[in-house]
């Protein structure tokens, strides 16, 4: 997968009631405006080494057309991602339920860590960069103890189901299969 695809290369209308295909800009713009400031809960689903699924609620932010989330190195999600980066992230946004599928890889470059930490701080979580990870005086219990690894989701596809007007359901593809 490439990290450079910001817009879908194709989409498919999944709606069975005659509603129009939803534009990718709808969930993307809500992610850009609401993550870091709205009360959103994201759920990351990963795959255990034995193939069983694992899901956990995480604090996530959308920065420069990419989703970032954190996890302590000892958490089940971080251990799963180290072995298999495939994952899904789901969230209920204003007027649309969204599932993002792809691969999550650890981010260690200081510029991106600083940029994402600033977005977390603007949203009220006092994150800072320590070495190649994030730290803060507090976090959710599901993140494990500090320092926390930062992950960037590279999208393969996404599915949105609108629960407010205009209704509809769409799958957006970001990679060639």
């Amino acid at each position: 997968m490439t990290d450079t695809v910001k817009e879908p290369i194709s989409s498919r209308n999944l709606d069975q009631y005659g509603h129009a295909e939803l534009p990718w800009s709808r969930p993307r713009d809500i992610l850009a405006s609401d993550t870091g400031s709205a009360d959103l809960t994201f759920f990351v689903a990963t795959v255990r080494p034995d193939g069983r699924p694992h899901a956990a609620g995480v604090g996530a932010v959308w920065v420069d057309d990419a989703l970032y989330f954190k996890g302590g190195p000892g958490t089940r999600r971080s251990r799963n991602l180290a072995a298999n980066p495939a994952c899904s992230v789901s969230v209920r946004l204003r007027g649309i339920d969204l599932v993002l599928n792809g691969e999550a890889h650890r981010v260690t470059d200081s510029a991106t860590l600083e940029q994402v930490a600033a977005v977390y701080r603007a949203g009220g979580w006092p994150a800072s960069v320590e070495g190649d990870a994030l730290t803060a005086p507090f976090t959710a219990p599901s993140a494990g103890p500090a320092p926390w690894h930062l992950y960037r989701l590279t999208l393969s596809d996404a599915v949105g189901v609108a629960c407010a007007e205009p209704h509809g359901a769409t799958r957006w593809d970001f990679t060639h299969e």
Side-chain angles (χ1 to χ4, degrees), residues 61-149:
V61 292
W62 186 262
V63 178
D64 289 343
D65 283 330
L67 189 78
Y68 294 87
F69 61 90
K70 62 183 174 24
T75 62
R76 169 52 52 200
R77 83 176 148 273
S78 290
R79 294 191 324 259
N80 289 349
L81 290 171
N84 179 353
C87 65
S88 291
V89 180
S90 59
V91 62
R92 170 165 261 184
L93 301 171
R94 285 181 288 118
I96 188 167
D97 295 337
L98 185 65
V99 177
L100 305 164
N101 299 306
E103 292 187 352
H105 296 278
R106 185 164 175 222
V107 174
T108 58
D109 70 277
S110 59
T112 303
L113 286 164
E114 290 290 352
Q115 181 182 20
V116 173
V119 173
Y120 276 123
R121 284 192 301 273
W125 184 56
S128 62
V129 176
E130 184 177 291
D132 63 358
L134 298 176
T135 189
F138 63 88
T139 194
S142 67
W148 301 286
H149 292 170

Side-chain angles (χ1 to χ4, degrees), residues 8 25-26 41 48 58-60 66 75 81 103 109 123 150-151 154 172:
S25 60
R26 182 173 175 182
T41 300
R48 296 172 191 256
V58 300
T75 62
L81 290 171
E103 292 187 352
D109 70 277
L150 181 67
Y151 296 92
T154 300
W172 302 277

Side-chain angles (χ1 to χ4, degrees), residues 9-75:
I9 59 170
S10 65
S11 59
R12 187 174 59 185
N13 191 340
L14 303 177
D15 189 79
Q16 58 185 339
Y17 301 107
H19 296 100
E21 189 173 280
L22 302 170
W24 169 242
S25 60
R26 182 173 175 182
R28 183 202 61 215
D29 292 351
I30 296 169
L31 284 165
S33 67
D34 288 8
T35 61
S37 61
D39 184 19
L40 299 175
T41 300
F42 291 81
F43 292 90
V44 174
T46 58
V47 181
R48 296 172 191 256
D50 65 3
R52 292 181 300 136
H54 174 267
V58 300
V61 292
W62 186 262
V63 178
D64 289 343
D65 283 330
L67 189 78
Y68 294 87
F69 61 90
K70 62 183 174 24
T75 62

